[in-house]
Short mmCIF file of all heavy atoms in Angstrom, two decimals:
data_model
loop_
_atom_site.label_atom_id
_atom_site.label_comp_id
_atom_site.label_asym_id
_atom_site.label_seq_id
_atom_site.Cartn_x
_atom_site.Cartn_y
_atom_site.Cartn_z
N GLU A 104 -6.64 -20.22 -86.57
CA GLU A 104 -7.40 -20.73 -87.70
C GLU A 104 -7.82 -22.24 -87.55
O GLU A 104 -8.58 -22.71 -88.28
CB GLU A 104 -6.65 -20.53 -89.01
CG GLU A 104 -5.40 -21.38 -89.23
CD GLU A 104 -4.21 -20.91 -88.38
OE1 GLU A 104 -4.29 -19.91 -87.66
OE2 GLU A 104 -3.14 -21.53 -88.49
N ARG A 105 -7.21 -22.87 -86.58
CA ARG A 105 -7.48 -24.35 -86.34
C ARG A 105 -8.09 -24.56 -84.95
O ARG A 105 -8.37 -25.74 -84.59
CB ARG A 105 -6.17 -25.16 -86.45
CG ARG A 105 -5.38 -25.00 -87.77
CD ARG A 105 -6.14 -25.68 -88.90
NE ARG A 105 -6.11 -27.12 -88.72
CZ ARG A 105 -7.09 -27.93 -89.24
NH1 ARG A 105 -8.10 -27.38 -89.93
NH2 ARG A 105 -7.03 -29.24 -89.08
N SER A 106 -8.30 -23.55 -84.21
CA SER A 106 -8.76 -23.72 -82.82
C SER A 106 -10.12 -24.38 -82.73
O SER A 106 -10.43 -25.09 -81.68
CB SER A 106 -8.75 -22.41 -82.04
OG SER A 106 -9.61 -21.47 -82.68
N ASP A 107 -10.93 -24.21 -83.73
CA ASP A 107 -12.24 -24.85 -83.69
C ASP A 107 -12.17 -26.35 -83.95
O ASP A 107 -13.17 -27.06 -83.83
CB ASP A 107 -13.22 -24.22 -84.69
CG ASP A 107 -12.74 -24.31 -86.11
OD1 ASP A 107 -11.52 -24.49 -86.35
OD2 ASP A 107 -13.60 -24.36 -87.04
N ARG A 108 -11.00 -26.82 -84.34
CA ARG A 108 -10.83 -28.24 -84.59
C ARG A 108 -10.11 -28.95 -83.36
O ARG A 108 -9.71 -30.08 -83.45
CB ARG A 108 -9.85 -28.40 -85.82
CG ARG A 108 -10.43 -27.85 -87.06
CD ARG A 108 -11.45 -28.73 -87.61
NE ARG A 108 -12.17 -28.24 -88.76
CZ ARG A 108 -12.94 -28.97 -89.53
NH1 ARG A 108 -13.09 -30.23 -89.32
NH2 ARG A 108 -13.60 -28.36 -90.53
N PHE A 109 -10.05 -28.22 -82.25
CA PHE A 109 -9.39 -28.75 -81.07
C PHE A 109 -10.34 -28.93 -79.95
O PHE A 109 -11.27 -28.09 -79.73
CB PHE A 109 -8.29 -27.80 -80.57
CG PHE A 109 -7.66 -28.13 -79.26
CD1 PHE A 109 -6.82 -29.25 -79.12
CD2 PHE A 109 -8.02 -27.37 -78.13
CE1 PHE A 109 -6.28 -29.55 -77.89
CE2 PHE A 109 -7.50 -27.74 -76.91
CZ PHE A 109 -6.58 -28.82 -76.77
N ALA A 110 -10.26 -30.04 -79.20
CA ALA A 110 -11.07 -30.24 -77.95
C ALA A 110 -10.22 -30.73 -76.88
O ALA A 110 -9.21 -31.48 -77.10
CB ALA A 110 -12.17 -31.28 -78.27
N LEU A 111 -10.54 -30.31 -75.62
CA LEU A 111 -9.79 -30.76 -74.46
C LEU A 111 -10.63 -31.60 -73.56
O LEU A 111 -11.77 -31.20 -73.27
CB LEU A 111 -9.27 -29.54 -73.74
CG LEU A 111 -8.50 -29.88 -72.44
CD1 LEU A 111 -7.04 -30.26 -72.73
CD2 LEU A 111 -8.53 -28.72 -71.45
N VAL A 112 -10.12 -32.72 -73.03
CA VAL A 112 -10.80 -33.50 -72.03
C VAL A 112 -9.86 -33.42 -70.80
O VAL A 112 -8.72 -33.92 -70.84
CB VAL A 112 -10.96 -34.96 -72.50
CG1 VAL A 112 -11.55 -35.76 -71.34
CG2 VAL A 112 -11.88 -35.03 -73.70
N HIS A 113 -10.34 -32.80 -69.74
CA HIS A 113 -9.57 -32.68 -68.48
C HIS A 113 -9.89 -33.87 -67.66
O HIS A 113 -10.83 -33.90 -66.91
CB HIS A 113 -9.92 -31.38 -67.79
CG HIS A 113 -9.16 -31.15 -66.53
ND1 HIS A 113 -9.59 -30.22 -65.60
CD2 HIS A 113 -8.06 -31.68 -66.04
CE1 HIS A 113 -8.70 -30.22 -64.61
NE2 HIS A 113 -7.81 -31.17 -64.83
N SER A 114 -9.03 -34.89 -67.74
CA SER A 114 -9.28 -36.16 -67.07
C SER A 114 -8.02 -37.00 -67.02
O SER A 114 -7.08 -36.79 -67.80
CB SER A 114 -10.44 -36.92 -67.74
OG SER A 114 -10.63 -38.14 -67.13
N ASP A 115 -8.04 -37.99 -66.12
CA ASP A 115 -7.04 -39.08 -66.12
C ASP A 115 -7.41 -39.96 -67.32
O ASP A 115 -8.55 -40.44 -67.41
CB ASP A 115 -7.14 -39.84 -64.82
CG ASP A 115 -6.15 -40.97 -64.71
OD1 ASP A 115 -5.63 -41.41 -65.73
OD2 ASP A 115 -5.87 -41.43 -63.56
N ALA A 116 -6.45 -40.16 -68.22
CA ALA A 116 -6.71 -40.97 -69.41
C ALA A 116 -7.25 -42.41 -69.02
O ALA A 116 -8.02 -42.96 -69.81
CB ALA A 116 -5.43 -41.13 -70.29
N MET A 117 -6.83 -42.91 -67.87
CA MET A 117 -7.24 -44.25 -67.49
C MET A 117 -8.77 -44.30 -67.17
O MET A 117 -9.39 -45.37 -67.07
CB MET A 117 -6.48 -44.73 -66.28
CG MET A 117 -4.99 -45.09 -66.59
SD MET A 117 -4.79 -46.44 -67.77
CE MET A 117 -5.38 -47.82 -66.79
N HIS A 118 -9.35 -43.15 -66.97
CA HIS A 118 -10.81 -43.06 -66.63
C HIS A 118 -11.63 -42.66 -67.83
O HIS A 118 -12.88 -42.60 -67.72
CB HIS A 118 -11.02 -42.11 -65.47
CG HIS A 118 -10.33 -42.51 -64.22
ND1 HIS A 118 -9.96 -41.62 -63.21
CD2 HIS A 118 -9.88 -43.75 -63.79
CE1 HIS A 118 -9.34 -42.26 -62.19
NE2 HIS A 118 -9.26 -43.57 -62.57
N VAL A 119 -10.99 -42.31 -68.91
CA VAL A 119 -11.77 -41.82 -70.13
C VAL A 119 -12.49 -42.97 -70.78
O VAL A 119 -11.87 -44.00 -71.18
CB VAL A 119 -10.82 -41.11 -71.07
CG1 VAL A 119 -11.55 -40.84 -72.39
CG2 VAL A 119 -10.31 -39.83 -70.45
N ARG A 120 -13.79 -42.82 -70.96
CA ARG A 120 -14.59 -43.83 -71.61
C ARG A 120 -15.26 -43.32 -72.89
O ARG A 120 -15.75 -44.08 -73.70
CB ARG A 120 -15.68 -44.34 -70.67
CG ARG A 120 -15.18 -45.11 -69.45
CD ARG A 120 -14.79 -46.53 -69.90
NE ARG A 120 -13.99 -47.16 -68.92
CZ ARG A 120 -13.37 -48.35 -69.13
NH1 ARG A 120 -13.37 -48.94 -70.30
NH2 ARG A 120 -12.65 -48.94 -68.21
N GLU A 121 -15.28 -42.03 -73.06
CA GLU A 121 -15.82 -41.39 -74.22
C GLU A 121 -15.10 -40.08 -74.52
O GLU A 121 -14.55 -39.48 -73.64
CB GLU A 121 -17.35 -41.20 -74.12
CG GLU A 121 -17.72 -40.32 -72.95
CD GLU A 121 -19.27 -40.25 -72.78
OE1 GLU A 121 -19.98 -41.06 -73.44
OE2 GLU A 121 -19.74 -39.35 -72.09
N LEU A 122 -15.17 -39.69 -75.81
CA LEU A 122 -14.52 -38.47 -76.26
C LEU A 122 -15.55 -37.60 -77.02
O LEU A 122 -16.42 -38.15 -77.66
CB LEU A 122 -13.32 -38.83 -77.10
CG LEU A 122 -12.14 -39.53 -76.49
CD1 LEU A 122 -11.19 -40.07 -77.49
CD2 LEU A 122 -11.45 -38.60 -75.52
N PRO A 123 -15.40 -36.28 -76.97
CA PRO A 123 -16.30 -35.43 -77.75
C PRO A 123 -16.07 -35.57 -79.24
O PRO A 123 -14.94 -35.85 -79.70
CB PRO A 123 -15.97 -34.02 -77.24
CG PRO A 123 -14.52 -34.13 -76.77
CD PRO A 123 -14.38 -35.51 -76.25
N GLY A 124 -17.13 -35.28 -80.01
CA GLY A 124 -16.92 -35.26 -81.51
C GLY A 124 -16.86 -36.63 -82.09
O GLY A 124 -17.19 -37.67 -81.55
N PRO A 125 -16.36 -36.70 -83.37
CA PRO A 125 -16.31 -37.93 -84.10
C PRO A 125 -15.36 -38.96 -83.43
O PRO A 125 -14.38 -38.53 -82.68
CB PRO A 125 -15.73 -37.48 -85.52
CG PRO A 125 -15.93 -36.05 -85.57
CD PRO A 125 -15.87 -35.48 -84.15
N ALA A 126 -15.51 -40.18 -83.70
CA ALA A 126 -14.70 -41.25 -83.10
C ALA A 126 -13.25 -41.05 -83.54
O ALA A 126 -13.03 -40.81 -84.74
CB ALA A 126 -15.24 -42.61 -83.49
N PRO A 127 -12.32 -41.27 -82.66
CA PRO A 127 -10.94 -41.14 -83.01
C PRO A 127 -10.43 -42.23 -83.96
O PRO A 127 -10.79 -43.40 -83.85
CB PRO A 127 -10.17 -41.20 -81.70
CG PRO A 127 -11.06 -42.02 -80.84
CD PRO A 127 -12.46 -41.69 -81.24
N THR A 128 -9.59 -41.80 -84.97
CA THR A 128 -9.06 -42.76 -85.90
C THR A 128 -7.56 -43.05 -85.59
O THR A 128 -7.01 -44.03 -86.08
CB THR A 128 -9.15 -42.28 -87.34
OG1 THR A 128 -8.51 -40.98 -87.43
CG2 THR A 128 -10.62 -42.07 -87.72
N ALA A 129 -6.93 -42.16 -84.79
CA ALA A 129 -5.52 -42.34 -84.54
C ALA A 129 -5.21 -41.83 -83.07
O ALA A 129 -5.87 -40.95 -82.60
CB ALA A 129 -4.64 -41.54 -85.54
N LEU A 130 -4.22 -42.47 -82.46
CA LEU A 130 -3.71 -42.10 -81.19
C LEU A 130 -2.30 -41.72 -81.36
O LEU A 130 -1.47 -42.55 -81.86
CB LEU A 130 -3.88 -43.22 -80.19
CG LEU A 130 -3.06 -43.11 -78.87
CD1 LEU A 130 -3.57 -41.94 -78.03
CD2 LEU A 130 -3.22 -44.41 -78.05
N VAL A 131 -1.88 -40.49 -81.00
CA VAL A 131 -0.49 -40.10 -81.06
C VAL A 131 -0.15 -39.42 -79.78
O VAL A 131 -0.85 -38.50 -79.33
CB VAL A 131 -0.25 -39.07 -82.27
CG1 VAL A 131 1.27 -38.74 -82.40
CG2 VAL A 131 -0.72 -39.70 -83.60
N ALA A 132 0.92 -39.82 -79.06
CA ALA A 132 1.14 -39.29 -77.74
C ALA A 132 2.59 -39.50 -77.31
O ALA A 132 3.26 -40.47 -77.67
CB ALA A 132 0.23 -39.93 -76.74
N ASN A 133 3.04 -38.55 -76.51
CA ASN A 133 4.28 -38.69 -75.74
C ASN A 133 3.84 -39.11 -74.36
O ASN A 133 3.46 -38.32 -73.55
CB ASN A 133 5.05 -37.31 -75.69
CG ASN A 133 6.16 -37.32 -74.76
OD1 ASN A 133 6.73 -38.39 -74.34
ND2 ASN A 133 6.53 -36.15 -74.28
N LEU A 134 3.81 -40.42 -74.11
CA LEU A 134 3.23 -40.95 -72.93
C LEU A 134 4.22 -40.90 -71.72
O LEU A 134 5.36 -41.13 -71.79
CB LEU A 134 2.81 -42.40 -73.10
CG LEU A 134 1.62 -42.66 -74.06
CD1 LEU A 134 1.39 -44.16 -74.19
CD2 LEU A 134 0.40 -41.95 -73.62
N PRO A 135 3.63 -40.39 -70.56
CA PRO A 135 4.45 -40.43 -69.31
C PRO A 135 4.99 -41.86 -69.07
O PRO A 135 4.24 -42.75 -69.14
CB PRO A 135 3.45 -39.97 -68.25
CG PRO A 135 2.35 -39.28 -68.97
CD PRO A 135 2.23 -39.96 -70.32
N TYR A 136 6.27 -41.90 -68.78
CA TYR A 136 6.93 -43.20 -68.74
C TYR A 136 6.32 -44.12 -67.67
O TYR A 136 6.23 -45.33 -67.84
CB TYR A 136 8.43 -43.01 -68.38
CG TYR A 136 9.19 -42.38 -69.54
CD1 TYR A 136 10.39 -41.79 -69.32
CD2 TYR A 136 8.65 -42.35 -70.81
CE1 TYR A 136 11.11 -41.18 -70.33
CE2 TYR A 136 9.37 -41.74 -71.86
CZ TYR A 136 10.58 -41.16 -71.64
OH TYR A 136 11.29 -40.63 -72.62
N ASN A 137 5.84 -43.56 -66.55
CA ASN A 137 5.38 -44.37 -65.47
C ASN A 137 4.05 -45.06 -65.70
O ASN A 137 3.67 -46.02 -64.98
CB ASN A 137 5.34 -43.66 -64.11
CG ASN A 137 4.65 -42.32 -64.27
OD1 ASN A 137 4.31 -41.88 -65.35
ND2 ASN A 137 4.32 -41.70 -63.11
N VAL A 138 3.23 -44.58 -66.69
CA VAL A 138 1.93 -45.17 -66.90
C VAL A 138 1.72 -45.49 -68.41
O VAL A 138 0.62 -45.77 -68.84
CB VAL A 138 0.82 -44.19 -66.47
CG1 VAL A 138 0.84 -44.01 -64.98
CG2 VAL A 138 0.95 -42.85 -67.19
N ALA A 139 2.78 -45.55 -69.13
CA ALA A 139 2.67 -45.67 -70.63
C ALA A 139 1.92 -46.95 -71.07
O ALA A 139 0.95 -46.83 -71.83
CB ALA A 139 4.06 -45.70 -71.26
N VAL A 140 2.25 -48.12 -70.54
CA VAL A 140 1.58 -49.33 -70.97
C VAL A 140 0.12 -49.42 -70.59
O VAL A 140 -0.69 -49.69 -71.45
CB VAL A 140 2.42 -50.56 -70.52
CG1 VAL A 140 1.62 -51.86 -70.77
CG2 VAL A 140 3.78 -50.63 -71.17
N PRO A 141 -0.17 -49.19 -69.31
CA PRO A 141 -1.66 -49.24 -68.98
C PRO A 141 -2.47 -48.22 -69.74
O PRO A 141 -3.61 -48.59 -70.16
CB PRO A 141 -1.68 -48.93 -67.47
CG PRO A 141 -0.28 -48.87 -66.99
CD PRO A 141 0.67 -48.99 -68.14
N VAL A 142 -1.94 -47.03 -69.97
CA VAL A 142 -2.75 -46.05 -70.73
C VAL A 142 -2.90 -46.50 -72.14
O VAL A 142 -4.00 -46.42 -72.68
CB VAL A 142 -2.03 -44.67 -70.69
CG1 VAL A 142 -2.57 -43.74 -71.70
CG2 VAL A 142 -2.17 -44.00 -69.27
N LEU A 143 -1.85 -46.93 -72.78
CA LEU A 143 -1.91 -47.40 -74.18
C LEU A 143 -2.98 -48.55 -74.32
O LEU A 143 -3.83 -48.52 -75.22
CB LEU A 143 -0.54 -47.93 -74.61
CG LEU A 143 -0.47 -48.62 -75.99
CD1 LEU A 143 -0.85 -47.68 -77.11
CD2 LEU A 143 0.96 -49.18 -76.22
N LEU A 144 -2.89 -49.53 -73.43
CA LEU A 144 -3.83 -50.67 -73.54
C LEU A 144 -5.24 -50.27 -73.27
O LEU A 144 -6.22 -50.71 -73.92
CB LEU A 144 -3.40 -51.81 -72.58
CG LEU A 144 -2.01 -52.47 -72.84
CD1 LEU A 144 -1.70 -53.45 -71.76
CD2 LEU A 144 -2.04 -53.11 -74.23
N HIS A 145 -5.48 -49.35 -72.36
CA HIS A 145 -6.80 -48.79 -72.01
C HIS A 145 -7.39 -48.13 -73.20
O HIS A 145 -8.55 -48.32 -73.58
CB HIS A 145 -6.70 -47.89 -70.84
CG HIS A 145 -8.02 -47.16 -70.56
ND1 HIS A 145 -9.12 -47.73 -70.04
CD2 HIS A 145 -8.35 -45.85 -70.88
CE1 HIS A 145 -10.11 -46.80 -70.00
NE2 HIS A 145 -9.69 -45.66 -70.44
N MET A 146 -6.60 -47.27 -73.86
CA MET A 146 -7.15 -46.54 -75.01
C MET A 146 -7.43 -47.47 -76.23
O MET A 146 -8.47 -47.29 -76.92
CB MET A 146 -6.10 -45.52 -75.46
CG MET A 146 -5.86 -44.41 -74.43
SD MET A 146 -7.30 -43.41 -74.01
CE MET A 146 -7.48 -42.41 -75.52
N LEU A 147 -6.62 -48.49 -76.45
CA LEU A 147 -6.87 -49.44 -77.55
C LEU A 147 -8.13 -50.25 -77.24
O LEU A 147 -8.87 -50.56 -78.19
CB LEU A 147 -5.66 -50.36 -77.75
CG LEU A 147 -4.41 -49.65 -78.31
CD1 LEU A 147 -3.27 -50.65 -78.34
CD2 LEU A 147 -4.66 -49.18 -79.76
N GLU A 148 -8.29 -50.61 -76.01
CA GLU A 148 -9.54 -51.37 -75.64
C GLU A 148 -10.80 -50.52 -75.72
O GLU A 148 -11.81 -50.93 -76.25
CB GLU A 148 -9.38 -51.90 -74.23
CG GLU A 148 -10.60 -52.68 -73.77
CD GLU A 148 -10.66 -52.83 -72.27
OE1 GLU A 148 -9.66 -52.61 -71.55
OE2 GLU A 148 -11.73 -53.26 -71.74
N THR A 149 -10.71 -49.29 -75.23
CA THR A 149 -11.89 -48.40 -75.08
C THR A 149 -12.35 -47.84 -76.43
O THR A 149 -13.54 -47.63 -76.65
CB THR A 149 -11.60 -47.32 -74.10
OG1 THR A 149 -11.10 -47.89 -72.85
CG2 THR A 149 -12.84 -46.47 -73.78
N PHE A 150 -11.37 -47.59 -77.32
CA PHE A 150 -11.72 -46.95 -78.61
C PHE A 150 -11.30 -47.81 -79.75
O PHE A 150 -10.22 -47.59 -80.36
CB PHE A 150 -11.07 -45.54 -78.69
CG PHE A 150 -11.48 -44.65 -77.53
CD1 PHE A 150 -10.65 -44.41 -76.46
CD2 PHE A 150 -12.72 -44.03 -77.54
CE1 PHE A 150 -11.04 -43.59 -75.39
CE2 PHE A 150 -13.13 -43.23 -76.50
CZ PHE A 150 -12.32 -43.01 -75.42
#
Side-chain angles (χ1 to χ4, degrees):
E104 69 285 359
R105 303 289 293 152
S106 59
D107 62 333
R108 298 286 173 163
F109 171 75
L111 176 82
V112 175
H113 181 196
S114 176
D115 181 340
M117 290 297 293
H118 299 155
V119 170
R120 292 283 167 191
E121 57 184 16
L122 294 168
T128 58
L130 165 64
V131 184
N133 169 21
L134 291 178
Y136 292 161
N137 51 347
V138 294
V140 172
V142 165
L143 173 63
L144 296 176
H145 170 74
M146 296 298 287
L147 290 173
E148 178 198 348
T149 307
F150 300 102

